[in-house]
Amino acid sequence: KCNCCNRDIGLKHRDKHLDHIMPLALGGDNTLENLQWLCQLCSNMKADKHPDVWAEYIQTEEYRTRISSR
């Protein structure tokens, strides 16, 4: 399941993305503690956002609308 929207991402490679919780661009690393599975949509929206910024965004109506429209 996607760690953000809880969507079942299954076993297909194209449906899931391994994401850095703290992006490498912001000083994150490749440790297991900094990795999570996201669906393609959440991964694309999160991009290199700081985890605090992302946590705020997923509480917005915009995020809920984008997730529900797929």
Side-chain angles (χ1 to χ4, degrees), residues 1 4-5 23 26 34 44-45 50 60-62:
K1 296 205 180 265
C4 292
C5 70
L26 299 178
N34 192 42
N44 290 344
M45 286 190 289
H50 188 280
T60 66
E61 185 64 32
E62 179 183 347

Side-chain angles (χ1 to χ4, degrees), residues 9-70:
I9 52 179
L11 300 174
K12 295 181 182 177
H13 177 71
R14 72 175 190 272
D15 293 339
K16 62 183 178 180
H17 293 236
L18 190 57
D19 173 70
H20 291 88
I21 298 167
M22 177 61 76
L24 296 175
L26 299 178
D29 56 33
N30 288 312
T31 60
L32 288 176
E33 296 80 20
N34 192 42
L35 298 173
Q36 64 182 343
W37 287 110
L38 298 181
C39 68
Q40 182 177 8
L41 181 59
C42 286
S43 180
N44 290 344
M45 286 190 289
K46 180 179 177 283
D48 63 354
K49 291 178 179 68
H50 188 280
D52 293 341
V53 172
W54 178 244
E56 288 179 20
Y57 179 73
I58 63 175
Q59 301 302 315
T60 66
E61 185 64 32
E62 179 183 347
Y63 173 78
R64 289 189 291 274
T65 299
R66 291 184 74 182
I67 291 299
S68 65
S69 68
R70 59 174 146 183

